Amino acid sequence: MTKIRKKIIISIIVFIIFSAGAAGGYFLFDITGNEGFIPSLNVNGDLNNALTINNLDFSDKWQTLDYNGKKINVIKLEDLLNLAEPLSQDNIIYFIGEDGRASAIYTDSRELVEESYISFNNKNGWEVINLAYPVNSNIKRINEIVVVMKENKTDFGLNIISPLKNLINITPGQAGLITGKYFEDAGTSSKSGNGNNYESTVFSVRQTFNLNDIFAVLNSGEIGSARIESGYPADIDGFQDKIVIYGSQGQYRFTDTAGYFELAHNSINYVDPVLDETIENVKGVIMDPPAASIMDVYHDTTGLISQDKKVMLVITDGFGYHQYRYAIENGYAPYLSSLPPAEMATSVYEPVSNSGLAAMFTGKPGSESGIYTRKTREPQIPTIFGYLFEKGKKARFIEGDIQIIKLETDTELHTDLNSSGTIDDEIMEAALSAISSNEFDFIAVHFHSIDDSGHDYGDISKETMETIKEIDSYIKKLASTWTGKIIITSDHGMHATDEGGSHGELRFEDMIVPYIIFDSIPEK
Amino acid sequence: MKKRNIIIIVAVTVVLLITVGIFTYLNAGNVGEKKKLEEEAIILIKSQDKELARIDMALLEKTGIKDFTANLDTSDSEAQKHVYSGIFLNELLESFGIDINEYSTVIAKAVDGYTVAFDAAEVVQPDNIYIAVKMDGKDLGTKSTGGSGPYQLIVTKDAFSQRWCKFLIELELK
């Protein structure tokens, strides 16, 4: 081997050994020169992204800070918050130490955290350094940062409502301030030795609270703006024992108040200890829920069809029970006033047309049909149209210009051919034509103009009430020509906004709709 | 050449061949998928169960793809302006000798069952309804890849994007 080749080979070998050593050293030693175990730092609360940090590589934004005469490595609290994405700029940020000592800073803009830093070292663990705040806000050995929004929103967190009132909104951050520890038994085992029996139990420690805790704390005023409207009962005893729980993925549970809620970083779960089931990311609870639900459409229709009765379903899109009551009381629904009073019925979550129609046509909540948002439209289970075809019955679905969910039947679509500004007149004409053909055992008619007007002008605006009056006259006409049962209900309701109206939240205006079922008496 | 040198050269060559082979295998899946996408990217135009035209990507490109802008407003984001590449629907129909004025309604259907109806007047309206194949210079992708194509019906005058039709596969004229 030549001398040059020998030197090249030796150089390569030395380089490989050096690289391996450097890589091993990097993994063994952290970038601050400390070695060994790094405890977790959890960032929880009212965030898009809850964080669990147990290494120093989670960010490339480490910088050097001159602090108390030393140069230390820190990351700006602002950079940490950028990763977590708080839902609001106006927050209370809690720093909780493992020794039970905690502090909170009040921020309504990122400017107020510009001089706040997080550092890590062997002596103080994770430490918060707030240069702009009083020195007692600095906490050593923190294991949790909790971000709590100051102003509640109805589209985030857990909403507790009754059929006619929005009672409470509580966010995961706020819930973290009222939770207790629940030790869930995960099993006991034992071992014998030295003439003794040694027994131990393993637990899952959960942060939990129940409805009583929420009412009790809000009564004491300890959580700032967590209530939406005042006037709720003093405690849970003011309500019946039954509740309905809704999950973010269309889960629906009619249950009692024995269960508990569990804080899960940046969301709230519901745990049923009897059934040993968990509903993740709960959106809301209805106290004193009505017995009826829009899912009853499927069951009522199949029951009637099995008795060889004909059924017409009139879907008044975007028509909440509160709008029904207002229209009746103010003379905007003369025909509906002449019918038996509507029951209150619950819609499903999310209260949007996709979910509502799927619930009516399948008799199941979104968690079973697979349709629970505007983005989903293919039912994972059969609908009433499949049932009817199996029974040899004829059905028609008369719609506007969009087939919102996929069905076992072609949906009859219509456009605004006469440029009247609404498609409901074309829908009405098609419905009368279907009735007069005498062909169908089931006709579903979907009117849209109440929803359109609600979005444009608000839920109880004059324009929307006039639209309700128009649809009231359509229903009267349909009932005068149809022979059979008629079901009138809505996929969801509508609540007022600054721009008009909207729906999709777990609030009574969106979730509680009218439900009427009656025998039509055709005019001779 | 000494034996040792030959061994070194052969070893390096084998390593290189293995590396090339691994990357070729990894990319083969992508090539296969793209071919399938191109094979299945068809829009059927029909009326009363009669097929009037069958459109694929090559035909669209031949007819003439242009850029146009539209605001995409979804339920969980603010409206954002995008530059789409596609063809004006009425121009496409005319290229097949289809006179939309002979019909009252156009029904667009998607692979996921979504169906939306338009007046003939909306189709004729200038700069309103397009069939898009790209957004901001990138292919729309397919449902299985989280995209909105390969073809998407865009209604530029629909302020809330409610009647846009992703995954377009059929146009029925009534």
Side-chain angles (χ1 to χ4, degrees):
Chain A
M1 190 186 287
T2 64
K3 279 188 183 173
I4 292 173
R5 191 183 293 147
K6 252 193 202 168
K7 283 180 185 171
I8 291 170
I9 291 172
I10 290 168
S11 301
I12 292 171
I13 292 169
V14 167
F15 176 74
I16 291 170
I17 292 171
F18 176 78
S19 299
Y26 176 78
F27 286 110
L28 287 173
F29 293 87
D30 67 35
I31 61 170
T32 64
N34 295 289
E35 56 183 270
F37 173 70
I38 295 177
S40 292
L41 173 65
N42 292 306
V43 184
N44 292 326
D46 302 332
L47 312 163
N48 272 327
N49 308 316
L51 307 175
T52 297
I53 300 165
N54 46 30
N55 64 71
L56 301 175
D57 298 332
F58 69 94
S59 173
D60 57 0
K61 294 190 190 285
W62 288 93
Q63 55 188 271
T64 307
L65 178 73
D66 277 318
Y67 183 61
N68 289 344
K70 291 182 189 172
K71 281 195 189 309
I72 59 172
N73 285 326
V74 297
I75 182 168
K76 293 186 82 168
L77 177 62
E78 185 179 357
D79 290 328
L80 193 64
L81 293 176
N82 284 341
L83 292 175
E85 294 180 16
L87 280 117
S88 170
Q89 294 294 320
D90 194 7
N91 297 300
I92 306 171
I93 303 178
Y94 293 84
F95 305 100
I96 301 172
E98 60 185 36
D99 60 357
R101 192 155 180 267
S103 71
I105 61 174
Y106 301 84
T107 71
D108 58 11
S109 69
R110 286 298 172 90
E111 200 183 325
L112 291 179
V113 296
E114 264 183 9
E115 289 189 272
S116 292
Y117 302 92
I118 304 293
S119 79
F120 178 84
N121 58 68
N122 265 351
K123 187 182 171 193
N124 296 329
W126 293 102
E127 180 180 4
V128 60
I129 300 166
N130 292 306
L131 294 178
Y133 287 85
V135 70
N136 62 5
S137 66
N138 297 339
I139 302 290
K140 299 179 171 71
R141 294 198 172 271
I142 54 171
N143 56 11
E144 191 176 14
I145 299 172
V146 182
V147 178
V148 182
M149 59 203 295
K150 284 194 218 159
E151 291 295 323
N152 290 62
K153 301 178 188 179
T154 52
D155 60 355
F156 177 71
L158 175 69
N159 287 345
I160 301 174
I161 69 173
S162 69
L164 294 173
K165 222 173 182 49
N166 298 319
L167 301 173
I168 301 164
N169 168 268
I170 186 164
T171 70
Q174 291 162 351
L177 304 176
I178 64 169
T179 58
K181 282 193 169 51
Y182 173 72
F183 286 76
E184 187 182 48
D185 192 331
T188 299
S189 52
S190 63
K191 183 172 119 173
S192 297
N194 301 326
N196 295 316
N197 191 40
Y198 300 91
E199 197 173 86
S200 72
T201 302
V202 177
F203 296 94
S204 293
V205 182
R206 299 176 120 156
Q207 282 187 277
T208 64
F209 58 98
N210 58 31
L211 286 169
N212 258 327
D213 296 327
I214 302 174
F215 279 85
V217 172
L218 287 175
N219 259 310
S220 70
E222 285 179 23
I223 295 180
S225 74
R227 90 183 58 130
I228 300 170
E229 289 183 20
S230 60
Y232 52 86
D235 56 44
I236 198 174
D237 291 335
F239 295 98
Q240 294 171 25
D241 193 39
K242 292 296 176 194
I243 57 175
V244 174
I245 309 259
Y246 291 88
S248 63
Q249 298 196 319
Q251 300 98 320
Y252 172 98
R253 183 74 51 77
F254 204 103
T255 184
D256 58 33
T257 54
Y260 58 86
F261 295 91
E262 174 189 37
L263 186 61
H265 302 294
N266 62 340
S267 63
I268 296 170
N269 301 337
Y270 176 80
V271 182
D272 187 327
V274 173
L275 297 175
D276 194 24
E277 283 178 356
T278 298
I279 298 177
E280 293 188 350
N281 198 3
V282 173
K283 300 308 288 186
V285 177
I286 302 183
M287 310 292 295
D288 293 347
S293 154
I294 61 172
M295 293 181 277
D296 294 345
V297 167
Y298 178 92
H299 305 290
D300 286 340
T301 301
T302 52
L304 289 164
I305 293 285
S306 70
Q307 298 166 34
D308 281 326
K309 291 197 164 67
K310 294 189 173 194
V311 180
M312 170 175 280
L313 170 65
V314 178
I315 304 168
T316 47
D317 199 305
F319 187 39
Y321 184 83
H322 68 292
Q323 293 169 285
Y324 161 82
R325 257 202 3 191
Y326 186 91
I328 297 276
E329 288 167 3
N330 291 275
Y332 287 103
Y335 181 69
L336 290 177
S337 303
S338 71
L339 298 175
E343 286 182 83
M344 286 193 276
T346 54
S347 179
V348 291
Y349 189 81
E350 294 173 19
V352 295
S353 288
N354 298 46
S355 325
L357 291 178
M360 286 186 216
F361 291 150
T362 66
K364 299 289 183 191
S367 56
E368 294 184 52
S369 71
I371 299 181
Y372 53 88
T373 70
R374 286 189 175 98
K375 295 180 184 176
T376 46
R377 54 174 61 99
E378 295 180 75
Q380 305 303 302
I381 54 178
T383 76
I384 195 161
F385 294 95
Y387 168 87
L388 290 165
F389 292 143
E390 267 184 34
K391 299 289 178 195
K393 302 292 184 183
K394 288 202 75 177
R396 173 153 286 177
F397 184 23
I398 300 169
E399 250 291 16
D401 58 0
I402 302 176
Q403 177 178 335
I404 297 168
I405 63 172
K406 196 172 182 178
L407 298 168
E408 297 95 327
T409 183
D410 281 337
T411 301
E412 187 181 297
L413 297 184
H414 300 86
T415 57
D416 186 12
L417 289 173
N418 60 9
S419 303
S420 65
T422 172
I423 306 176
D424 281 355
D425 45 353
E426 280 86 1
I427 291 171
M428 179 63 182
E429 208 176 299
L432 289 172
S433 175
I435 293 171
S436 65
S437 74
N438 222 19
E439 246 183 276
F440 300 102
D441 303 287
F442 176 72
I443 299 176
V445 185
H446 188 179
F447 290 121
H448 291 267
S449 53
I450 298 174
D451 181 74
D452 293 339
S453 183
H455 278 291
D456 289 342
Y457 303 108
D459 52 344
I460 52 169
S461 66
K462 191 168 190 329
E463 291 86 349
T464 302
M465 286 298 131
E466 290 293 339
T467 305
I468 291 169
K469 196 173 180 183
E470 178 82 4
I471 300 300
D472 180 82
S473 71
Y474 286 173
I475 295 172
K476 181 181 179 185
K477 179 72 179 166
L478 290 174
S480 71
T481 53
W482 174 253
T483 305
K485 286 284 196 188
I486 298 182
I487 301 173
I488 305 171
T489 191
S490 314
D491 47 355
H492 56 79
M494 182 77 64
H495 67 266
T497 65
D498 293 340
E499 293 84 30
S502 185
H503 57 86
E505 295 178 18
L506 208 136
R507 45 192 301 165
F508 80 91
E509 302 99 317
D510 296 3
M511 294 297 297
I512 308 296
V513 298
Y515 194 100
I516 309 170
I517 181 167
F518 64 103
D519 285 298
S520 72
I521 303 168
E523 281 176 0
K524 289 178 184 169
Chain B
M1 192 183 280
K2 286 188 177 176
K3 196 178 176 184
R4 186 183 287 119
N5 289 343
I6 295 170
I7 292 170
I8 290 171
I9 290 167
V10 169
V12 168
T13 306
V14 167
V15 166
L16 282 171
L17 283 172
I18 290 172
T19 306
V20 168
I22 289 170
F23 279 107
T24 303
Y25 172 76
L26 288 173
N27 282 316
N30 291 340
V31 169
E33 189 183 311
K34 197 169 179 184
K35 193 173 178 205
K36 192 179 173 197
L37 171 65
E38 286 170 357
E39 283 173 354
E40 292 181 356
I42 302 283
I43 301 171
L44 188 64
I45 302 180
K46 68 178 199 180
S47 178
Q48 291 179 325
D49 293 325
K50 184 185 160 193
E51 183 178 312
L52 301 178
R54 187 173 279 255
I55 297 165
D56 58 20
M57 201 67 77
L59 204 60
L60 278 182
E61 284 168 1
K62 193 177 162 189
T63 311
I65 289 186
K66 296 165 199 154
D67 287 350
F68 63 95
T69 57
N71 280 332
L72 174 59
D73 187 3
T74 68
S75 57
D76 45 25
S77 68
E78 296 291 319
Q80 274 193 310
K81 189 181 275 190
H82 293 279
V83 176
Y84 291 89
S85 304
I87 185 163
F88 184 52
L89 175 58
N90 198 30
E91 184 183 328
L92 179 69
L93 295 174
E94 283 176 347
S95 71
F96 283 95
I98 299 170
D99 181 1
I100 193 62
N101 294 308
E102 292 176 8
Y103 304 92
S104 61
T105 309
V106 174
I107 298 176
K109 295 183 184 175
V111 73
D112 63 354
Y114 181 78
T115 308
V116 57
F118 300 95
D119 281 336
E122 292 179 282
V123 175
V124 167
Q125 191 179 7
D127 190 34
N128 189 24
I129 301 180
Y130 290 84
I131 294 177
V133 296
K134 286 187 182 186
M135 182 176 81
D136 298 329
K138 292 180 189 167
D139 289 339
L140 293 176
T142 63
K143 187 169 187 274
S144 57
T145 62
S148 60
Y151 307 108
Q152 183 175 6
L153 196 86
I154 306 273
V155 188
T156 64
K157 310 255 187 266
D158 177 5
F160 300 107
S161 318
Q162 283 177 340
R163 298 164 74 212
W164 293 23
C165 183
K166 294 191 268 194
F167 325 124
L168 179 68
I169 55 169
E170 185 180 299
L171 293 166
E172 185 179 359
L173 310 185
K174 284 187 170 180

